[in-house]
Amino acid sequence: MPVLTGLAAAALLQTAPAAPLASDLSWMAGYWLDCSRGREAAETWTDPRGGLLVGHTVTVRNGRSGFEFARIGPVPEGGLAYVAQPGGAAPTPFRLIESGPQRAVFSNPDNDFPHRIIYQRAGDVLTARIEGADDDETRSVEWSFNKAELNARCPR
């Protein structure tokens, strides 16, 4: 019976078209490395597949490491969202509010911090910025990633 179940699922997948990306975010795909401010941050994004990009970030600073899972794809309410899971936490969606050939802005004004996530690419540099109010103080954090070979590390 498992074969029939698998075949039925495959048939359903073939008849249900993948939700297309509202804008082409393929420019985010790749392995990106930021070696600034005493940290090593590596961010990886897949190319868009079936309307979905999947990413993860690993950051090492002062011998400690952290991670974040993320995905960008369609949401039930319509449109696209960046869904962040820092440290494996519960998913937090940020809706796509602006996009262009090399820029995407995601927003969630109800989140504590950040309220906005901004990605922008210029050549082989991918800039990521988070911004918003934290305890009534406006702040931001920015990363400047360089395109790198998969699993490249920062010089020691």
Side-chain angles (χ1 to χ4, degrees):
M1 199 59 128
V3 172
L4 291 176
T5 304
L7 290 174
L12 284 173
L13 285 173
Q14 288 178 353
T15 59
L21 284 174
S23 62
D24 183 11
L25 298 176
S26 62
W27 52 268
M28 290 178 64
Y31 181 79
W32 304 93
L33 189 61
D34 179 351
C35 300
S36 65
R37 299 184 193 107
R39 68 179 173 217
E40 176 179 290
E43 186 157 306
T44 307
W45 285 99
T46 65
D47 59 334
R49 295 178 187 203
L52 178 70
L53 287 91
V54 177
H56 71 277
T57 306
V58 176
T59 302
V60 179
R61 184 180 203 148
N62 299 326
R64 299 181 66 193
S65 62
F67 69 96
E68 178 174 321
F69 297 124
R71 65 184 180 276
I72 300 171
V75 289
E77 311 81 53
L80 292 177
Y82 178 109
V83 181
Q85 290 184 263
T92 302
F94 294 80
R95 295 188 63 78
L96 179 67
I97 60 166
E98 177 189 327
S99 66
Q102 303 283 300
R103 179 178 163 88
V105 180
F106 304 88
S107 176
N108 181 341
D110 297 327
N111 190 47
D112 53 359
F113 182 83
H115 295 147
R116 291 169 33 114
I117 300 171
I118 304 160
Y119 278 91
Q120 192 164 312
R121 181 169 176 182
D124 284 342
V125 176
L126 180 70
T127 303
R129 178 181 172 90
I130 58 174
E131 57 187 32
D134 188 15
D135 294 329
D136 296 326
E137 181 181 333
T138 301
R139 68 183 188 108
S140 64
V141 181
E142 187 167 301
W143 294 262
S144 182
F145 296 101
N146 292 297
K147 194 156 190 59
E149 293 295 317
L150 182 61
N151 295 320
R153 302 291 307 269
C154 293
R156 294 185 187 250

